[in-house]
């Protein structure tokens, strides 16, 4: 059902970043469900994490440990290790300690990531049993296999890659992500791993990831449900023979920033394209706001409205539902007589009422497309925000009503 | 599909309040779609109206006119007259003026109400053509017919009635409501009309309605979409031979308040029970909040979560989704280790993690029921709030994807 999402593009290897995949049989025997990533010594690592107060045990550990030197990222699917309290924290620690023991690094250099059902105890022994196989599989060429290995309800793997030249040296940025439901990231996405061989100081790297996530992962929503396990990591291995980037300025930083932002955006949008039951990829653009926040409030209210989402599924240009959502978004002193709404290039509402030029046939033609832009002009100021989302289909209900059965 | 909603109970007539129903053929020929209500001279009338900034033309007019003497309420279904700008206001005025002309009252004494599709021009001539038939039909015994006449996607009419004695005089409170989708009232419900033969000053009546709506209509949600057309009216005809109530105190006021609150609650909950596609009637009770607002934030986040709603539809005790929703509700400094969650009487999460005593069989048993209470104990203070909602089913998507076809 994925909308406009093809096979994985070429994912260029990143020197100093290896990936290994194995099967622990957490949910189903034989399924690839454990991914180990190794960062070369001296790598800097940045992370953004869910703001959900019920964040999972692995999130708590990874948040602490990302401050120090990082050598391994350990991901499992099939179990989120969330809502598991103290025993969950102990379980996450144990899997990390086991990997540390096998590789001779400090346990604090291993960061855990889990995704899957919330509230079940983590099957520690199964994961531990798969670690050696994952280590034996480590290779810089395993991005595509890892993209598949971190999937849960995703129907397709998600990845993006960019390369650019600087002083005759090729720099690579490659990333993968997973997620299809419980998606309204808040400072991070479901799971995302992006690596580059550039050498970047930790502070610059962290700010780069924050900026990139805010313009990509933090602007997508499928069902408004912020996950307990969202994490996005950016790793700089420093293997490329170029000076370290220690300031957010200059042509090398600018080129890296563009590449990182493009990868963030491509894998973030891929999550929406593969949204549970999605039949449409919807861009909600809000312009003319007095503040960025009111643009976001309007955009998310539209993006989360079940009535708009079902109309999108039905390809029904029921624009009254869009006006109703804008009207309830909580914007103070909203003057509806200044608002215009566009479906694609078609003006459907002008100055708060149906546009004189609008015909149902025009709206229906836009709605038939798989990729639809809803543009709202508030006429209050100069701020803009853009959010990407999906429709709400029968398949969404089916997937989520049957998830645990 | 309505949950626990039977045939209409006996709706006692209210002296001085007559109802007449007619067919204007707005959406389908022959369908009863126009309801006229006549208030005896000297009636006081209170109203609460949607806070949606895109409120419909009839809401704008009714809000203005409820301040003065009110003699007629004119309701049509099949067209919301919302998002229609200045022409919509003129159309609403014209239908009122016609009714005023036919009855010899001032046009400002006629209040309009519309419900149905947003954004289509109001078919003024059709409505005008049905007014005389509605007037000819006026009777105090027409509550049940009016409850049916105001329905749109409702599958059952909704009404409630109470009587009590005071100084040997019987006082009646009777009300009806409509609504099944685009339901998250904000200071009112979709459409509600409640009448009593008590004599009540306008100020006391307005505060009584505000209080009653806040505890009933303003605590229900089906899909989180606040309508453009929500209105709830409370009419006191003063026909009962008792002194006027001019202060919110004393035994007569207390008895009236209880009757009005009970009618409000019964017809508000009836809207949820008949929610689009509903297979469950869900009570979300949030206790132990530091503020009422944070209880509401948690309650609505749970009530609106598509993941929780689909789990309810599937009768799946997927309590991790409840924890995740509580965690993202935006409560400041939420200490998850103090939170308990109950499904019915079963404690599913204790101190932020799965309760030691909990078994899946216990959760499944509660989830099989048609009426389910989710109780969340925040452990932060003494505030509580309760919200009523539904599940999210295939039928909800079907109804809203096919609404205009």
């Amino acid at each position: 059902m994925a909308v406009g999402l093809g096979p994985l593009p070429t994912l260029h290897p990143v020197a100093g970043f290896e990936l290994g995949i194995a099967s622990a049989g957490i949910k189903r025997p034989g399924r690839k469900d454990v991914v180990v990533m190794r960062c070369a010594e001296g790598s800097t690592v940045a992370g953004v994490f869910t703001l959900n107060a019920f964040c999972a045990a692995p999130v708590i550990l990874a948040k602490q440990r990302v401050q120090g030197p990082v050598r391994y990222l350990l991901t499992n699917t099939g179990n989120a290790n969330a809502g598991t309290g103290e025993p969950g924290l102990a379980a996450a620690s144990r899997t990390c300690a086991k990997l540390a023991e096998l590789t001779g690094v400090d346990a604090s250099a291993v960061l855990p990531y889990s995704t899957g059902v919330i509230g079940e105890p983590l099957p520690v022994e199964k994961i531990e049993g798969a670690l050696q196989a994952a280590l034996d599989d480590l290779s810089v060429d395993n991005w595509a296999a890892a993209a598949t290995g971190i999937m849960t309800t995703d129907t397709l793997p998600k990845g993006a890659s960019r390369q650019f030249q600087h002083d005759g040296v090729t720099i690579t940025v490659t990333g993968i992500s997973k997620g299809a439901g419980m998606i309204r990231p808040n400072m991070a996405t479901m799971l995302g791993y992006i690596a580059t061989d550039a050498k970047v100081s930790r502070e610059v790297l962290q700010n780069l990831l924050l900026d990139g996530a805010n313009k990509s992962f933090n602007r997508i929503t499928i069902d408004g449900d912020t996950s307990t396990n969202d994490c996005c990591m950016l790793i700089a291995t420093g293997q490329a023979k170029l000076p370290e980037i220690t300031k957010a300025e200059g042509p090398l930083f600018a080129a890296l920033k563009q590449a990182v932002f493009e990868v963030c955006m491509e894998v973030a949008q891929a999550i929406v394209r593969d949204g549970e039951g999605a039949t449409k990829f919807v861009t909600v653009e809000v312009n003319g706001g007095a503040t960025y926040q009111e643009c976001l409030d309007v955009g998310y209210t539209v993006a989360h409205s079940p009535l708009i989402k079902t109309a999108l599924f039905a390809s029904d240009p029921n624009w009254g539902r869009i006006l109703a959502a804008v009207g309830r978004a909580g914007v103070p002193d909203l003057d509806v007589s200044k608002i215009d709404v566009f479906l694609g290039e078609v003006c459907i509402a002008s100055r708060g009422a149906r546009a004189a030029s609008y015909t149902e046939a025009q709206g229906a033609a836009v709605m038939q497309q798989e990729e639809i832009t809803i543009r709202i002009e508030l006429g209050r100021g100069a701020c803009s925000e853009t959010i990407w989302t999906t429709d709400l289909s029968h398949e969404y209900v089916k997937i989520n009503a049957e998830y645990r059965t």
Side-chain angles (χ1 to χ4, degrees), chain A:
Chain A
M1 300 273 284
V3 183
L5 188 61
L8 276 178
T10 300
L11 298 178
H12 304 290
V14 174
F17 193 77
E18 297 160 278
L19 311 94
I21 299 91
S23 174
I26 294 172
K27 217 172 162 184
R28 276 197 289 277
R31 176 166 175 168
K32 303 284 189 188
D33 51 14
V34 167
V35 176
V36 169
M37 303 177 190
R38 174 157 67 194
C39 315
E41 206 157 356
S43 293
T44 49
V45 178
V48 285
F49 301 90
T50 183
L51 294 186
N52 193 312
F54 267 105
C55 71
V59 175
I60 295 170
L61 269 191
K63 261 165 107 166
Q64 290 168 355
R65 294 183 174 178
V66 74
Q67 307 297 333
V70 175
R71 294 301 310 282
Y72 287 92
L73 312 179
L74 166 56
T75 305
N76 72 272
T77 68
N79 185 305
N81 195 9
T84 46
E86 287 296 329
L89 268 176
S93 288
R94 272 180 58 198
T95 59
C96 291
K98 179 71 181 180
L99 186 58
E101 182 195 319
L102 291 173
T103 57
V105 304
D106 199 272
S108 67
V110 182
L111 277 55
Y113 305 87
S114 296
T115 177
V117 175
I118 298 173
E120 305 290 330
L122 189 74
V124 174
E125 286 77 14
K126 285 184 179 178
I127 294 171
E128 286 180 344
L131 294 179
Q132 190 57 56
L135 289 171
D136 294 344
D137 189 50
L138 281 173
S139 159
V140 294
D141 293 317
N142 266 345
W143 280 98
T148 305
I150 60 173
M151 286 165 57
T152 52
T153 58
D154 310 61
T155 69
L156 287 171
K158 301 163 184 71
S161 198
R162 295 290 185 279
Q163 288 188 320
F164 64 92
Q165 309 284 324
H166 186 87
D167 285 351
V169 176
T170 299
I171 297 281
T172 301
V173 179
T174 297
I176 56 176
S177 67
K178 65 109 356 195
M182 201 180 261
I183 297 287
R184 182 194 172 169
N186 194 347
M187 296 314 295
T189 182
M190 193 64 185
L191 288 180
Y193 305 92
I194 300 160
T196 177
D197 49 357
K199 191 167 181 63
V200 190
S201 75
R202 192 170 183 287
E203 192 189 339
V204 171
L205 196 69
Q206 181 68 30
N207 287 331
L208 180 59
L209 177 59
L210 271 178
D211 277 7
N214 266 336
K215 292 198 167 47
S216 57
F217 298 112
N218 288 347
R219 292 294 177 274
I220 63 173
T221 183
I222 291 172
D223 46 22
D225 272 309
T226 303
S227 158
T228 49
N229 289 55
D230 290 343
C231 295
C232 183
M233 307 301 295
L234 175 59
I235 301 99
T237 65
Q239 304 287 298
K241 303 213 173 316
L242 282 173
E244 183 176 13
I245 302 173
T246 55
K247 287 192 177 153
E249 59 189 40
L252 175 55
F253 174 76
L256 178 68
K257 179 177 169 177
Q258 185 179 333
V260 167
F261 275 30
E262 286 180 17
V263 168
C264 282
M265 189 63 92
E266 191 169 330
V267 296
Q269 290 191 356
I271 289 174
V272 176
R273 291 178 186 283
D274 196 20
E276 287 172 349
T279 73
K280 306 279 186 187
F281 177 79
V282 184
T283 302
V284 182
E285 194 183 318
V286 183
N287 299 323
T291 64
Y292 292 102
Q293 189 57 49
E294 71 184 32
C295 295
L296 290 176
D297 290 344
V298 168
Y300 278 115
T301 304
V302 169
H304 291 150
S305 161
L307 292 174
I308 294 174
K309 289 173 105 76
T310 47
L312 285 161
F313 169 53
S315 299
D316 176 7
N318 192 330
W319 56 273
R321 292 180 180 177
I322 301 174
L323 291 194
V326 174
R328 72 172 168 92
V331 177
D333 304 318
L334 183 66
D335 180 353
V336 300
S337 74
K338 290 189 174 159
I339 295 178
D340 298 336
V341 180
F342 293 78
L343 258 187
E345 295 302 309
V346 177
C347 181
I348 53 177
S350 173
R351 299 174 169 272
R354 184 187 180 126
S357 60
Y358 175 69
T359 65
E360 185 88 358
Q362 292 176 321
V366 176
M367 278 300 212
Q368 286 303 325
Q369 298 162 19
E370 270 194 351
E371 309 213 358
I372 295 169
T373 296
I374 298 172
R375 177 156 63 88
I376 297 152
E377 300 283 344
L378 294 176
R380 292 162 58 90
C383 297
S384 293
E385 286 284 358
T386 301
I387 289 161
W388 294 274
T389 192
T390 60
D391 56 337
L392 171 58
S393 67
H394 288 300
E395 193 65 16
Y396 177 88
V397 176
K398 186 160 188 278
I399 291 167
N400 283 296
E402 294 173 2
Y403 180 53
R404 301 203 311 170
T405 59

